Amino acid sequence: MRAAALRGTAGSLVLSALVVAPTGVSALPGDPGPPAPAPAASPLAVAPADTQAVTAQENAGTRAAASRAADEGIRFGTCPAEEYLEAPVECGTVQVPLDYADPDGRRITLTVSRVRATGRTSGGEPAARQGALVFNPGGPGASGMYFPLVGAVPAWRNIAAAYDLVGYAARGVGRSAPLSCQEPRHFLKAPTHAPADPSPSYKKERVAEATSYARGCARRAGDALAHYTSLNNARDLDVLRAALGEQRLTFMGASYGTYIGSLYATLFPERVRRMVFDSAVDPRPERIWYRNNLDQATAFERRWADFRTWVAKHDDTYGLGRTADAVQRSYDEVRAAVAAQPAGGKVGPGQLHSAFLRTAYYDDYWPMRAAALSAYREGEPELLIAQAAPVAEAAVEAENSHAVYTAVECNDAPWPTDFTVWDDDHTALARTAPFETWDNAWANLPCAFWTAPQRQPLDIGAAAESLAPTLILAAERDAATPYQGAVELRRRLGGSRLVTERGAGQHGVGGGPNTCVNAHLDAYLLTGEVPAEDTDCAAHPEPRPLAPRAAKQH
């Protein structure tokens, strides 16, 4: 899954808004969608036997790096201006090996942020400090540097009383040994097309772009490119744990961050204190990452239907149609209109579709997106332009995020190297799930032409005897990380418990609008207790409609 971090509407920064959403689009996990053939092995893929030997060497390197980090610690102080983080947030750095097989070789620097435990609950009672809570927001390619800000949100105050809230930018992200694959000014070019039924000539163009992009990654990163992997992200987490002075890790991962956490729990189960997996990636090795992307498109189609059904329910406000099909026709009309004449010269079908893909992630977006669509059809395009036009100032961050996303997913596993496989799979899938299928294909296609070695995914799992109880949170209709991923992770981690928000699809549910989910999160992080068995929470309320005129004032 991917892209820029989002801040929630309703005036507060919530954890569900700290999960990452796609720009172009994304890739991640899934419940069983249409069957897909096993990816054709890349000629650069690392063989399983080699993987085991390399992994053992890298794990030994992790122990050495963690020991060194424990001695060095982290010097926290005022955050650099480019982080836009003010007191009480503090910033520091930690050094990790570029290559864990060579822990004494080249090191890279990761940025870290922190707000110390407040020591006072929301009711004013004193709270004993329990250590550091480290958070990863997903991506790959998202920065968690802003995470400590959630301590000011009411739903987080009891947790912030007991824990130092710690965020960080994973390797490649932001100022953490930043990765780039092309000039940022070229990344957000607009307007662009996004055909639901791409022609052979359009596919040929996208293959050429993907090939060029993969070469750009290799040229700009050089030999370092191979070391941007999920396994190394998990190892970095252990070095960060040691640098923070923690004997065992308390961690919360959202979206792709759950995959990092599950790798950590598999590699270092004895070092887990408490671990929350919010909106879990399906960890099955055979689904990392090609099949997970196909699964995601199926789930996106279902969530897009949820949005259209909600809009139809509020036709008196939006006038976009009284049925989900009628709303789809209104959307298609606008898509055709901006194809003929881009709104504001910048919003074409590609920008329109990218903006509306976010409705599948967060229902906070539903009122604003529906209002923009409605206003455009009434001859007032300004609201749509404001929501969908690319922001030049965000180009560097967006390009960096996409570069890390691509490198990590391409390095993590073998991908099909024959475009015919991609074409056949996505053409078949688009017949039933057209909303995200092709955008997702183009976002991931550089992996077909990748030049760095591709690893074999680790088989995730840990027995209850070796791993402390962990908590898994999931929304039943999540599009970005379909629900089956949470069920599969629950099966693989002994002693874990699954809390499901039924009938909802918000991506990232912990610390958000559902008080039932938040009660389980608080109880686990503050006491270590998980529910006696897997449990359900009712869905949080749907958003209220917002008329186009009112939306202009926001």
Side-chain angles (χ1 to χ4, degrees):
M1 166 159 7
R2 57 141 297 117
L6 305 174
R7 293 176 194 265
T9 57
S12 65
L13 182 66
V14 296
L15 186 59
S16 58
L18 297 179
V19 184
V20 189
T23 51
V25 111
S26 111
L28 264 187
D31 63 344
S42 164
L44 297 172
V46 179
D50 293 338
T51 298
Q52 293 176 7
V54 170
T55 299
Q57 187 177 8
E58 290 167 334
N59 289 347
T62 306
R63 291 191 291 273
S67 177
R68 181 169 55 210
D71 292 337
E72 294 175 349
I74 299 176
R75 291 185 178 180
F76 283 101
T78 302
C79 294
E82 54 266 43
E83 294 291 357
Y84 300 101
L85 295 170
E86 299 179 353
V89 183
E90 306 172 292
C91 291
T93 60
V94 60
Q95 288 197 323
V96 299
L98 174 67
D99 179 1
Y100 278 94
D102 182 18
D104 296 321
R106 177 182 169 188
R107 292 200 280 173
I108 58 177
T109 301
L110 308 185
T111 58
V112 185
S113 60
R114 179 184 71 178
V115 167
R116 293 180 181 272
T118 66
R120 291 282 174 181
T121 68
S122 57
E125 298 86 1
R129 181 181 177 277
Q130 296 196 39
L133 169 61
V134 179
F135 176 76
N136 183 286
S143 173
M145 289 292 288
Y146 46 81
F147 170 66
L149 296 174
V150 301
V153 177
W156 283 88
R157 284 180 184 160
N158 289 337
I159 294 171
Y163 287 96
D164 297 346
L165 301 181
V166 176
Y168 71 106
R171 61 171 59 202
V173 178
R175 296 185 303 114
S176 294
L179 185 65
S180 174
C181 291
Q182 68 179 129
E183 287 297 320
R185 68 178 183 274
H186 299 315
F187 182 72
L188 293 183
K189 62 181 180 180
T192 56
H193 297 291
D197 185 16
S199 66
S201 62
Y202 183 81
K203 293 174 183 177
K204 187 175 181 179
E205 290 177 15
R206 297 309 299 252
V207 167
E209 289 179 8
T211 304
S212 175
Y213 188 83
R215 290 173 179 168
C217 295
R219 182 176 63 254
R220 284 170 169 257
D223 293 342
L225 183 62
H227 301 293
Y228 293 91
T229 67
S230 294
L231 280 168
N232 279 344
N233 283 335
R235 296 184 180 104
D236 290 347
L237 196 55
D238 198 53
V239 178
L240 175 57
R241 169 201 61 77
L244 290 167
E246 301 291 327
Q247 294 300 310
R248 292 191 297 159
L249 177 68
T250 303
F251 174 77
M252 183 168 182
S255 193
Y256 165 75
T258 68
Y259 188 56
I260 298 174
S262 64
L263 288 170
Y264 187 96
T266 301
L267 292 170
F268 315 114
E270 74 285 356
R271 298 180 206 168
V272 173
R273 177 179 178 268
R274 292 171 195 165
M275 191 165 276
V276 180
F277 304 91
D278 188 352
S279 305
V281 167
D282 188 331
R284 286 175 287 178
E286 67 272 16
R287 306 200 86 78
I288 305 294
W289 290 106
Y290 182 71
R291 291 190 180 189
N292 269 341
N293 281 284
L294 294 173
D295 296 340
Q296 187 188 54
T298 298
F300 259 77
E301 198 67 30
R302 180 175 62 234
R303 193 62 179 155
W304 173 239
D306 290 347
F307 166 69
R308 291 184 288 116
T309 299
W310 178 87
V311 174
K313 188 188 305 183
H314 299 289
D315 185 60
D316 290 346
T317 299
Y318 299 116
L320 295 171
R322 294 190 176 277
T323 67
D325 288 344
V327 174
Q328 180 69 55
R329 288 192 292 271
S330 293
Y331 178 79
D332 291 340
E333 289 172 8
V334 174
R335 188 167 176 164
V338 297
Q341 184 175 350
K346 288 291 187 180
V347 178
Q351 290 65 48
L352 175 77
H353 206 55
S354 180
F356 276 82
L357 280 164
R358 293 175 185 255
T359 64
Y361 280 76
Y362 312 115
D363 51 26
D364 278 350
Y365 278 99
W366 290 6
M368 294 293 290
R369 292 296 189 263
L373 207 63
S374 178
Y376 181 90
R377 295 181 77 242
E378 294 298 322
E380 299 178 4
E382 294 80 12
L383 196 56
L384 181 64
I385 295 168
Q387 294 184 35
V391 179
E393 292 79 7
V396 172
E397 181 181 354
E399 191 280 327
N400 167 243
S401 177
H402 186 72
V404 176
Y405 166 83
T406 305
V408 170
E409 294 216 351
C410 294
N411 284 335
D412 269 0
W415 291 73
T417 56
D418 183 353
F419 179 68
T420 301
V421 175
W422 293 70
D423 196 7
D424 289 347
D425 290 344
H426 290 84
T427 297
L429 182 57
R431 295 190 186 106
T432 56
F435 182 63
E436 194 215 20
T437 293
W438 283 111
D439 279 356
N440 215 0
W442 308 136
N444 294 290
L445 190 56
C447 294
F449 311 105
W450 205 241
T451 59
Q454 295 176 320
R455 304 288 294 264
Q456 295 292 334
L458 188 69
D459 196 10
I460 299 296
E465 299 77 36
S466 62
L467 179 68
T470 60
L471 184 67
I472 304 170
L473 309 176
E476 187 178 25
R477 298 181 69 80
D478 188 351
T481 51
Y483 183 65
Q484 178 58 36
V487 174
E488 180 65 24
L489 186 60
R490 163 72 175 87
R491 186 183 71 81
R492 287 169 172 263
L493 297 183
S496 63
R497 292 292 183 270
L498 172 59
V499 175
T500 302
E501 185 180 16
R502 295 291 178 188
Q506 187 91 343
H507 183 55
V509 296
N514 194 307
T515 56
C516 169
V517 172
N518 292 342
H520 287 292
L521 178 63
D522 270 15
Y524 174 67
L525 286 178
L526 297 176
T527 71
E529 294 183 7
V530 294
E533 56 187 9
D534 294 345
T535 190
D536 294 344
C537 290
H540 67 275
E542 288 186 340
R544 296 178 179 180
L546 183 66
R549 182 165 300 177
K552 293 177 185 178
Q553 300 170 3
H554 278 64

